[in-house]
Each structure stands twice: as structure tokens, then as C-alpha cells.
Amino acid sequence: MNVPIESGISIKDLNKKFTIDKKQVSILENINIDIKQGEFVSIIGSSGCGKSTLLRIIAGLDNDYEGTAEMDGQKILKPSLKRGVVFQEHRLFPWLTVSENISFGLKNKSRDEKKDIVKQHLELVGLNGFEKAYPGQLSGGMSQRVSIARALANDPEVLLMDEPFGALDALTRIQMQEECLKIWNKKNLTIIFVTHDIDEAIYLGDKIVIISQRPGKVKKIVPIDVGRPRDRNSHDFSEIRKLIYKEFFSNQKEVFNYTI
Ligand SMILES: Nc1ncnc2c1ncn2[C@@H]1O[C@H](COP(=O)(O)OP(=O)(O)OP(=O)(O)O)[C@@H](O)[C@H]1O
Ligand SMILES: [Mg+2]
């Protein structure tokens, strides 16, 4: 009998240690997360709790851990074109044009195919006309758009985004969140989105995974049962915001002066 293959990402009993100053330090402990194909999952947690480490494991960039990380029932052992990554800071090659940056990772494609893919993705991220520009001639938001286009050019099934909008101003950030949702819909992607920003996590995600301080553990998984487009001022949104603030700051009321 054929065993059905689960589609999506599954992290089971994951433990990750790093050697710091000759000592083994536990970074992630007993992480269990299931992400369905097509789901948009936000991950939040304080700095240093292991969010990027977790994303690197899912990307296949780190396989030195205990437990399992699987995609569609297959162990993740190395990077794959099925999983695109947008890193915390854009990592564009400054000496290549926007087009060359986007087409850099495309393998086994003819010149014309590459040209088509670049054109299609420039359009998708709203950068028509900038194909010949160099990264040094772009704003922060535009550079992140190029990073997203590059990650999408290989047509991944899963997009891993590590605080992609962290360096952007508030207005550009909101605009990029909209673009991100549009792309998610259009491409039928699974997105795993790491952020420090609680409102961003609520606005985007189908669910939010809250990671505790080091060693990072899954503190809570909060489903966001609010239809899109979401209103940041709505009652439902505020209730989820309150719940998440409570998770983070319930012991520190007086410091943060936030009504919970
Ligand atoms: N290659 C490494 N060697 C040793 N320790 C590491 C390594 N990479 C990360 N760490 C440690 O693991 C912990 C988690 O790092 P990680 O980058 O995953 O945190 P993060 O949650 O992404 O933080 P931030 O929100 O600041 O980006 C940190 O304490 C960091 O010092
Ligand atoms: Mg990080």
C-alpha cells in the first residue's frame, strides 16, 4: 500500500546546538511545526532566539541538528530550488545589473528563457525599466524587490523570508507587505516569514509561531482567523495583537507600559 506523502514542511523534535566559546550551547529545543502547502506562516521571537537558524535548517543550509526537517515527506538535506530564500539583508552582487542578479541562479535555461523569466519577475515586483540598473543605484525597498525576484525566478514552492523588510521605512514596509501577499496569491506559494514586527506578523500570516528566548522553543502557535484584506484597526486584529503582547511582555508590564 502506498503511504500518502504529506505535502508541506514538517519539523519534528528539532534540537540545535552551536559551539560557542568551546561550549555546546542549546539554541533551539524541541521544535515541532507543521506548515501546509500554500500556508503563510509568520515566525516571531526576540533577537537571538534562533529564527534565522531555523530558517537556514529549513532552507537546507544547515543539517547539523537532532530531529527531522522534511518537505513533502522527504528529509531536507541540502538547498533545493524548491525553496527560495530572501535573507535578512539583501545579498545582491553590486557588480551585476538587476537583470543579471535575478538570472544569476538560473540553470539550464537558454538566453531567451532567462530574458523572459527576468522580465516576468521584474514586472511581478514592480521594477519594470530597472533591468540595467546596478544595486548601488537602488533604494532599500527596490533592492529587496530584486532579492525577492531573484528568489522567485527559480519558481520555488516555498519562499523563506528572513526579516526581509526590517531595514525599510514604515511606509515602504506596508507597501512591500501588500506586494508580498499579492505574490503569495499569484504564485500559490508556501511562505515562512520571520519578523520582529508583531503587526506585520498578524497582517500577513495564516498563523504565527512564537519562539521563546534562548533556547528557542515554540511558545505558542496562534492561528489568525481573520479574512483578508485585514484591517489593522479592527477589533479582531487588536485582540490578536493583545494576545501576542501578553505572550511576550506579561512579566514586564511596568517596563513596557502596555495595557494587557
Ligand atoms: N554559526 C554560528 N556559530 C555559533 N553560534 C551561532 C552561529 N549562528 C548563530 N549563532 C548563535 O545562535 C543564536 C541564534 O542566532 P540566530 O541568528 O538564529 O538568531 P535570530 O533569532 O535570527 O536573531 P535576530 O532576530 O537578531 O536575527 C545566537 O545566539 C547566535 O549567537
Ligand atoms: Mg535573524
Side-chain angles (χ1 to χ4, degrees):
M1 198 180 86
N2 280 342
V3 180
I5 292 177
E6 286 289 325
S7 112
I9 304 269
S10 172
I11 313 288
K12 286 211 170 34
D13 305 326
L14 185 141
N15 292 294
K16 168 72 188 172
K17 294 186 174 79
F18 274 125
T19 307
I20 301 174
D21 198 16
K22 294 186 191 153
K23 283 185 210 114
Q24 287 264 297
V25 178
S26 183
I27 303 293
L28 292 167
E29 257 181 39
N30 195 26
I31 303 285
N32 285 283
I33 307 173
D34 282 314
I35 296 167
K36 286 194 281 268
Q37 197 268 323
E39 213 171 6
F40 197 130
V41 178
S42 304
I43 298 183
I44 53 175
S46 48
S47 186
C49 74
K51 303 179 297 297
S52 296
T53 305
L54 180 60
L55 224 59
R56 284 176 54 79
I57 289 172
I58 299 172
L61 294 163
D62 182 346
N63 49 32
D64 179 17
Y65 58 84
E66 288 167 14
T68 53
E70 294 182 345
M71 176 166 165
D72 301 340
Q74 305 278 319
K75 268 199 169 158
I76 297 171
L77 297 170
K78 55 180 186 184
S80 156
L81 297 180
K82 287 184 183 175
R83 295 181 295 276
V85 187
V86 179
F87 291 97
Q88 223 162 334
E89 277 94 33
H90 73 79
R91 297 187 180 180
L92 303 176
F93 301 117
W95 60 89
L96 298 181
T97 63
V98 165
S99 294
E100 289 162 348
N101 265 289
I102 296 173
S103 62
F104 185 81
L106 294 174
K107 305 277 180 262
N108 309 320
K109 302 272 187 234
S110 70
R111 231 181 112 107
D112 282 350
E113 280 173 322
K114 282 188 184 180
K115 218 170 141 183
D116 263 8
I117 292 171
V118 168
K119 188 169 179 289
Q120 199 188 321
H121 286 88
L122 277 171
E123 214 168 283
L124 189 69
V125 299
L127 275 183
N128 280 334
F130 284 92
E131 35 281 270
K132 294 213 169 88
Y134 285 89
Q137 300 170 313
L138 305 177
S139 70
M142 290 161 90
S143 302
Q144 262 323 19
R145 284 168 202 264
V146 180
S147 301
I148 294 170
R150 184 173 61 179
L152 292 173
N154 278 304
D155 219 7
E157 293 167 27
V158 177
L159 189 61
L160 306 169
M161 305 181 86
D162 193 355
E163 297 191 43
F165 311 144
L168 305 179
D169 66 89
L171 292 178
T172 313
R173 191 169 186 146
I174 287 175
Q175 201 182 352
M176 294 297 287
Q177 290 166 4
E178 293 302 332
E179 307 270 338
C180 186
L181 286 175
K182 241 188 257 168
I183 291 168
W184 171 61
N185 268 318
K186 195 162 178 183
K187 291 256 183 184
N188 197 20
L189 285 164
T190 306
I191 295 189
I192 307 179
F193 190 103
V194 166
T195 178
H196 277 125
D197 185 318
I198 293 173
D199 272 31
E200 182 169 76
I202 305 172
Y203 190 74
L204 295 175
D206 290 322
K207 67 184 180 201
I208 301 183
V209 178
I210 304 178
I211 309 276
S212 68
Q213 274 183 348
R214 214 170 72 188
K217 295 180 188 172
V218 176
K219 202 170 179 187
K220 202 173 190 110
I221 297 182
V222 182
I224 315 292
D225 295 322
V226 181
R228 295 184 178 90
R230 291 181 179 156
D231 176 355
R232 291 172 170 85
N233 297 315
S234 71
H235 175 75
D236 290 350
F237 202 103
S238 308
E239 287 302 305
I240 296 168
R241 187 190 289 124
K242 262 191 221 167
L243 184 108
I244 293 174
Y245 268 79
K246 208 168 183 173
E247 282 300 324
F248 276 111
F249 304 132
S250 52
N251 302 326
Q252 306 169 47
K253 248 188 221 171
E254 63 289 353
V255 178
F256 291 95
N257 191 24
Y258 188 84
T259 318
I260 51 178

PDB file of all heavy atoms in Angstrom, residues 64-90:
ATOM      1  N   ASP A  64      23.223  20.100  10.668  1.00  0.00           N
ATOM      2  CA  ASP A  64      23.852  19.599  11.879  1.00  0.00           C
ATOM      3  C   ASP A  64      22.909  19.834  13.072  1.00  0.00           C
ATOM      4  O   ASP A  64      23.037  20.814  13.799  1.00  0.00           O
ATOM      5  CB  ASP A  64      25.188  20.362  12.063  1.00  0.00           C
ATOM      6  CG  ASP A  64      25.898  19.909  13.313  1.00  0.00           C
ATOM      7  OD1 ASP A  64      25.562  18.833  13.831  1.00  0.00           O
ATOM      8  OD2 ASP A  64      26.781  20.660  13.787  1.00  0.00           O
ATOM      9  N   TYR A  65      21.931  18.948  13.198  1.00  0.00           N
ATOM     10  CA  TYR A  65      20.937  19.103  14.280  1.00  0.00           C
ATOM     11  C   TYR A  65      20.332  17.743  14.577  1.00  0.00           C
ATOM     12  O   TYR A  65      20.504  16.787  13.819  1.00  0.00           O
ATOM     13  CB  TYR A  65      19.847  20.095  13.852  1.00  0.00           C
ATOM     14  CG  TYR A  65      19.120  19.705  12.578  1.00  0.00           C
ATOM     15  CD1 TYR A  65      18.048  18.820  12.600  1.00  0.00           C
ATOM     16  CD2 TYR A  65      19.541  20.182  11.335  1.00  0.00           C
ATOM     17  CE1 TYR A  65      17.414  18.435  11.428  1.00  0.00           C
ATOM     18  CE2 TYR A  65      18.910  19.803  10.167  1.00  0.00           C
ATOM     19  CZ  TYR A  65      17.844  18.936  10.220  1.00  0.00           C
ATOM     20  OH  TYR A  65      17.220  18.547   9.067  1.00  0.00           O
ATOM     21  N   GLU A  66      19.621  17.662  15.690  1.00  0.00           N
ATOM     22  CA  GLU A  66      18.863  16.443  16.011  1.00  0.00           C
ATOM     23  C   GLU A  66      17.411  16.647  15.600  1.00  0.00           C
ATOM     24  O   GLU A  66      16.924  17.773  15.630  1.00  0.00           O
ATOM     25  CB  GLU A  66      18.870  16.205  17.535  1.00  0.00           C
ATOM     26  CG  GLU A  66      20.183  15.747  18.079  1.00  0.00           C
ATOM     27  CD  GLU A  66      20.188  15.845  19.606  1.00  0.00           C
ATOM     28  OE1 GLU A  66      19.115  16.003  20.221  1.00  0.00           O
ATOM     29  OE2 GLU A  66      21.296  15.787  20.153  1.00  0.00           O
ATOM     30  N   GLY A  67      16.732  15.552  15.287  1.00  0.00           N
ATOM     31  CA  GLY A  67      15.329  15.642  14.885  1.00  0.00           C
ATOM     32  C   GLY A  67      15.214  15.641  13.372  1.00  0.00           C
ATOM     33  O   GLY A  67      16.192  15.331  12.672  1.00  0.00           O
ATOM     34  N   THR A  68      14.029  15.987  12.880  1.00  0.00           N
ATOM     35  CA  THR A  68      13.849  15.957  11.422  1.00  0.00           C
ATOM     36  C   THR A  68      13.218  17.242  10.891  1.00  0.00           C
ATOM     37  O   THR A  68      12.410  17.877  11.561  1.00  0.00           O
ATOM     38  CB  THR A  68      12.939  14.779  10.970  1.00  0.00           C
ATOM     39  OG1 THR A  68      11.731  14.849  11.697  1.00  0.00           O
ATOM     40  CG2 THR A  68      13.595  13.433  11.155  1.00  0.00           C
ATOM     41  N   ALA A  69      13.655  17.577   9.688  1.00  0.00           N
ATOM     42  CA  ALA A  69      13.033  18.671   8.935  1.00  0.00           C
ATOM     43  C   ALA A  69      12.724  18.073   7.568  1.00  0.00           C
ATOM     44  O   ALA A  69      13.625  17.588   6.869  1.00  0.00           O
ATOM     45  CB  ALA A  69      13.982  19.839   8.815  1.00  0.00           C
ATOM     46  N   GLU A  70      11.451  18.044   7.215  1.00  0.00           N
ATOM     47  CA  GLU A  70      11.044  17.409   5.952  1.00  0.00           C
ATOM     48  C   GLU A  70      10.221  18.348   5.097  1.00  0.00           C
ATOM     49  O   GLU A  70       9.515  19.210   5.612  1.00  0.00           O
ATOM     50  CB  GLU A  70      10.176  16.165   6.244  1.00  0.00           C
ATOM     51  CG  GLU A  70      10.932  15.058   6.928  1.00  0.00           C
ATOM     52  CD  GLU A  70      10.070  13.828   7.153  1.00  0.00           C
ATOM     53  OE1 GLU A  70       8.824  13.921   7.031  1.00  0.00           O
ATOM     54  OE2 GLU A  70      10.648  12.768   7.446  1.00  0.00           O
ATOM     55  N   MET A  71      10.360  18.139   3.782  1.00  0.00           N
ATOM     56  CA  MET A  71       9.445  18.827   2.864  1.00  0.00           C
ATOM     57  C   MET A  71       8.778  17.756   1.994  1.00  0.00           C
ATOM     58  O   MET A  71       9.471  16.912   1.419  1.00  0.00           O
ATOM     59  CB  MET A  71      10.217  19.820   1.982  1.00  0.00           C
ATOM     60  CG  MET A  71       9.324  20.488   0.961  1.00  0.00           C
ATOM     61  SD  MET A  71      10.140  21.899   0.228  1.00  0.00           S
ATOM     62  CE  MET A  71       9.090  22.175  -1.189  1.00  0.00           C
ATOM     63  N   ASP A  72       7.483  17.783   1.923  1.00  0.00           N
ATOM     64  CA  ASP A  72       6.694  16.792   1.182  1.00  0.00           C
ATOM     65  C   ASP A  72       7.132  15.360   1.522  1.00  0.00           C
ATOM     66  O   ASP A  72       7.288  14.504   0.636  1.00  0.00           O
ATOM     67  CB  ASP A  72       6.815  17.034  -0.331  1.00  0.00           C
ATOM     68  CG  ASP A  72       6.350  18.417  -0.721  1.00  0.00           C
ATOM     69  OD1 ASP A  72       5.600  19.030   0.064  1.00  0.00           O
ATOM     70  OD2 ASP A  72       6.749  18.905  -1.790  1.00  0.00           O
ATOM     71  N   GLY A  73       7.388  15.123   2.791  1.00  0.00           N
ATOM     72  CA  GLY A  73       7.742  13.786   3.247  1.00  0.00           C
ATOM     73  C   GLY A  73       9.191  13.393   3.010  1.00  0.00           C
ATOM     74  O   GLY A  73       9.599  12.288   3.342  1.00  0.00           O
ATOM     75  N   GLN A  74       9.990  14.289   2.427  1.00  0.00           N
ATOM     76  CA  GLN A  74      11.407  13.995   2.153  1.00  0.00           C
ATOM     77  C   GLN A  74      12.279  14.806   3.101  1.00  0.00           C
ATOM     78  O   GLN A  74      12.040  16.009   3.272  1.00  0.00           O
ATOM     79  CB  GLN A  74      11.785  14.431   0.725  1.00  0.00           C
ATOM     80  CG  GLN A  74      10.935  13.861  -0.371  1.00  0.00           C
ATOM     81  CD  GLN A  74      11.380  12.469  -0.745  1.00  0.00           C
ATOM     82  OE1 GLN A  74      12.574  12.210  -0.825  1.00  0.00           O
ATOM     83  NE2 GLN A  74      10.419  11.591  -0.947  1.00  0.00           N
ATOM     84  N   LYS A  75      13.284  14.147   3.668  1.00  0.00           N
ATOM     85  CA  LYS A  75      14.207  14.866   4.557  1.00  0.00           C
ATOM     86  C   LYS A  75      14.905  16.001   3.823  1.00  0.00           C
ATOM     87  O   LYS A  75      15.349  15.834   2.683  1.00  0.00           O
ATOM     88  CB  LYS A  75      15.272  13.903   5.071  1.00  0.00           C
ATOM     89  CG  LYS A  75      14.893  13.274   6.365  1.00  0.00           C
ATOM     90  CD  LYS A  75      16.107  12.701   7.062  1.00  0.00           C
ATOM     91  CE  LYS A  75      15.682  12.332   8.478  1.00  0.00           C
ATOM     92  NZ  LYS A  75      16.501  11.362   9.097  1.00  0.00           N
ATOM     93  N   ILE A  76      15.005  17.137   4.457  1.00  0.00           N
ATOM     94  CA  ILE A  76      15.738  18.264   3.867  1.00  0.00           C
ATOM     95  C   ILE A  76      17.217  18.078   4.211  1.00  0.00           C
ATOM     96  O   ILE A  76      17.597  18.115   5.379  1.00  0.00           O
ATOM     97  CB  ILE A  76      15.214  19.609   4.427  1.00  0.00           C
ATOM     98  CG1 ILE A  76      13.750  19.812   4.030  1.00  0.00           C
ATOM     99  CG2 ILE A  76      16.085  20.770   3.949  1.00  0.00           C
ATOM    100  CD1 ILE A  76      13.069  21.002   4.696  1.00  0.00           C
ATOM    101  N   LEU A  77      18.016  17.848   3.194  1.00  0.00           N
ATOM    102  CA  LEU A  77      19.434  17.582   3.453  1.00  0.00           C
ATOM    103  C   LEU A  77      20.351  18.655   2.890  1.00  0.00           C
ATOM    104  O   LEU A  77      21.475  18.827   3.328  1.00  0.00           O
ATOM    105  CB  LEU A  77      19.832  16.217   2.850  1.00  0.00           C
ATOM    106  CG  LEU A  77      19.107  15.011   3.457  1.00  0.00           C
ATOM    107  CD1 LEU A  77      19.368  13.756   2.649  1.00  0.00           C
ATOM    108  CD2 LEU A  77      19.532  14.810   4.907  1.00  0.00           C
ATOM    109  N   LYS A  78      19.870  19.348   1.872  1.00  0.00           N
ATOM    110  CA  LYS A  78      20.689  20.387   1.242  1.00  0.00           C
ATOM    111  C   LYS A  78      19.772  21.417   0.573  1.00  0.00           C
ATOM    112  O   LYS A  78      18.570  21.170   0.435  1.00  0.00           O
ATOM    113  CB  LYS A  78      21.634  19.756   0.215  1.00  0.00           C
ATOM    114  CG  LYS A  78      20.927  18.937  -0.816  1.00  0.00           C
ATOM    115  CD  LYS A  78      21.919  18.351  -1.796  1.00  0.00           C
ATOM    116  CE  LYS A  78      21.119  17.664  -2.875  1.00  0.00           C
ATOM    117  NZ  LYS A  78      21.675  16.977  -3.866  1.00  0.00           N
ATOM    118  N   PRO A  79      20.339  22.542   0.141  1.00  0.00           N
ATOM    119  CA  PRO A  79      19.486  23.532  -0.516  1.00  0.00           C
ATOM    120  C   PRO A  79      18.830  22.958  -1.770  1.00  0.00           C
ATOM    121  O   PRO A  79      19.370  22.045  -2.399  1.00  0.00           O
ATOM    122  CB  PRO A  79      20.471  24.648  -0.889  1.00  0.00           C
ATOM    123  CG  PRO A  79      21.618  24.481   0.033  1.00  0.00           C
ATOM    124  CD  PRO A  79      21.726  23.001   0.294  1.00  0.00           C
ATOM    125  N   SER A  80      17.657  23.460  -2.087  1.00  0.00           N
ATOM    126  CA  SER A  80      16.942  22.984  -3.268  1.00  0.00           C
ATOM    127  C   SER A  80      16.281  24.173  -3.952  1.00  0.00           C
ATOM    128  O   SER A  80      15.882  25.137  -3.287  1.00  0.00           O
ATOM    129  CB  SER A  80      15.869  21.979  -2.830  1.00  0.00           C
ATOM    130  OG  SER A  80      14.833  21.912  -3.780  1.00  0.00           O
ATOM    131  N   LEU A  81      16.116  24.068  -5.259  1.00  0.00           N
ATOM    132  CA  LEU A  81      15.440  25.143  -5.992  1.00  0.00           C
ATOM    133  C   LEU A  81      13.969  25.247  -5.597  1.00  0.00           C
ATOM    134  O   LEU A  81      13.313  26.236  -5.870  1.00  0.00           O
ATOM    135  CB  LEU A  81      15.558  24.911  -7.505  1.00  0.00           C
ATOM    136  CG  LEU A  81      16.977  24.940  -8.081  1.00  0.00           C
ATOM    137  CD1 LEU A  81      16.954  24.689  -9.578  1.00  0.00           C
ATOM    138  CD2 LEU A  81      17.659  26.269  -7.776  1.00  0.00           C
ATOM    139  N   LYS A  82      13.475  24.192  -4.927  1.00  0.00           N
ATOM    140  CA  LYS A  82      12.080  24.240  -4.453  1.00  0.00           C
ATOM    141  C   LYS A  82      11.901  25.247  -3.320  1.00  0.00           C
ATOM    142  O   LYS A  82      10.801  25.590  -2.957  1.00  0.00           O
ATOM    143  CB  LYS A  82      11.677  22.869  -3.905  1.00  0.00           C
ATOM    144  CG  LYS A  82      11.451  21.817  -4.938  1.00  0.00           C
ATOM    145  CD  LYS A  82      10.974  20.576  -4.223  1.00  0.00           C
ATOM    146  CE  LYS A  82      10.783  19.432  -5.168  1.00  0.00           C
ATOM    147  NZ  LYS A  82      10.435  18.214  -4.440  1.00  0.00           N
ATOM    148  N   ARG A  83      13.049  25.625  -2.705  1.00  0.00           N
ATOM    149  CA  ARG A  83      12.964  26.566  -1.577  1.00  0.00           C
ATOM    150  C   ARG A  83      13.808  27.801  -1.867  1.00  0.00           C
ATOM    151  O   ARG A  83      15.026  27.743  -1.904  1.00  0.00           O
ATOM    152  CB  ARG A  83      13.443  25.883  -0.284  1.00  0.00           C
ATOM    153  CG  ARG A  83      12.575  24.740   0.173  1.00  0.00           C
ATOM    154  CD  ARG A  83      13.085  24.120   1.455  1.00  0.00           C
ATOM    155  NE  ARG A  83      14.387  23.490   1.287  1.00  0.00           N
ATOM    156  CZ  ARG A  83      14.592  22.268   0.832  1.00  0.00           C
ATOM    157  NH1 ARG A  83      13.563  21.514   0.523  1.00  0.00           N
ATOM    158  NH2 ARG A  83      15.807  21.785   0.680  1.00  0.00           N
ATOM    159  N   GLY A  84      13.137  28.917  -2.102  1.00  0.00           N
ATOM    160  CA  GLY A  84      13.839  30.180  -2.331  1.00  0.00           C
ATOM    161  C   GLY A  84      14.032  30.892  -1.002  1.00  0.00           C
ATOM    162  O   GLY A  84      13.216  30.753  -0.096  1.00  0.00           O
ATOM    163  N   VAL A  85      15.138  31.632  -0.898  1.00  0.00           N
ATOM    164  CA  VAL A  85      15.425  32.329   0.360  1.00  0.00           C
ATOM    165  C   VAL A  85      15.631  33.815   0.106  1.00  0.00           C
ATOM    166  O   VAL A  85      16.357  34.201  -0.805  1.00  0.00           O
ATOM    167  CB  VAL A  85      16.707  31.759   1.031  1.00  0.00           C
ATOM    168  CG1 VAL A  85      16.890  32.382   2.425  1.00  0.00           C
ATOM    169  CG2 VAL A  85      16.673  30.244   1.129  1.00  0.00           C
ATOM    170  N   VAL A  86      14.977  34.639   0.911  1.00  0.00           N
ATOM    171  CA  VAL A  86      15.268  36.076   0.926  1.00  0.00           C
ATOM    172  C   VAL A  86      15.902  36.346   2.285  1.00  0.00           C
ATOM    173  O   VAL A  86      15.267  36.146   3.324  1.00  0.00           O
ATOM    174  CB  VAL A  86      13.988  36.926   0.753  1.00  0.00           C
ATOM    175  CG1 VAL A  86      14.314  38.409   0.798  1.00  0.00           C
ATOM    176  CG2 VAL A  86      13.290  36.579  -0.557  1.00  0.00           C
ATOM    177  N   PHE A  87      17.156  36.757   2.281  1.00  0.00           N
ATOM    178  CA  PHE A  87      17.904  36.889   3.526  1.00  0.00           C
ATOM    179  C   PHE A  87      17.606  38.209   4.235  1.00  0.00           C
ATOM    180  O   PHE A  87      16.999  39.121   3.673  1.00  0.00           O
ATOM    181  CB  PHE A  87      19.407  36.768   3.253  1.00  0.00           C
ATOM    182  CG  PHE A  87      19.804  35.387   2.839  1.00  0.00           C
ATOM    183  CD1 PHE A  87      19.953  35.051   1.508  1.00  0.00           C
ATOM    184  CD2 PHE A  87      20.015  34.399   3.796  1.00  0.00           C
ATOM    185  CE1 PHE A  87      20.309  33.764   1.123  1.00  0.00           C
ATOM    186  CE2 PHE A  87      20.367  33.110   3.425  1.00  0.00           C
ATOM    187  CZ  PHE A  87      20.514  32.797   2.079  1.00  0.00           C
ATOM    188  N   GLN A  88      18.121  38.283   5.477  1.00  0.00           N
ATOM    189  CA  GLN A  88      17.854  39.441   6.339  1.00  0.00           C
ATOM    190  C   GLN A  88      18.282  40.752   5.670  1.00  0.00           C
ATOM    191  O   GLN A  88      17.585  41.733   5.731  1.00  0.00           O
ATOM    192  CB  GLN A  88      18.573  39.247   7.680  1.00  0.00           C
ATOM    193  CG  GLN A  88      17.728  39.616   8.863  1.00  0.00           C
ATOM    194  CD  GLN A  88      18.249  39.042  10.184  1.00  0.00           C
ATOM    195  OE1 GLN A  88      18.933  38.029  10.226  1.00  0.00           O
ATOM    196  NE2 GLN A  88      17.928  39.703  11.267  1.00  0.00           N
ATOM    197  N   GLU A  89      19.475  40.753   5.073  1.00  0.00           N
ATOM    198  CA  GLU A  89      19.856  41.915   4.258  1.00  0.00           C
ATOM    199  C   GLU A  89      19.951  41.414   2.819  1.00  0.00           C
ATOM    200  O   GLU A  89      20.337  40.280   2.589  1.00  0.00           O
ATOM    201  CB  GLU A  89      21.236  42.460   4.655  1.00  0.00           C
ATOM    202  CG  GLU A  89      21.197  43.377   5.846  1.00  0.00           C
ATOM    203  CD  GLU A  89      21.476  42.626   7.134  1.00  0.00           C
ATOM    204  OE1 GLU A  89      22.261  41.653   7.084  1.00  0.00           O
ATOM    205  OE2 GLU A  89      20.886  42.984   8.166  1.00  0.00           O
ATOM    206  N   HIS A  90      19.600  42.288   1.891  1.00  0.00           N
ATOM    207  CA  HIS A  90      19.678  41.824   0.516  1.00  0.00           C
ATOM    208  C   HIS A  90      21.139  41.467   0.204  1.00  0.00           C
ATOM    209  O   HIS A  90      22.058  42.098   0.699  1.00  0.00           O
ATOM    210  CB  HIS A  90      19.133  42.871  -0.455  1.00  0.00           C
ATOM    211  CG  HIS A  90      20.015  44.056  -0.645  1.00  0.00           C
ATOM    212  ND1 HIS A  90      21.112  44.025  -1.466  1.00  0.00           N
ATOM    213  CD2 HIS A  90      19.974  45.281  -0.101  1.00  0.00           C
ATOM    214  CE1 HIS A  90      21.698  45.198  -1.419  1.00  0.00           C
ATOM    215  NE2 HIS A  90      21.024  45.979  -0.595  1.00  0.00           N
TER     216      HIS A  90
END
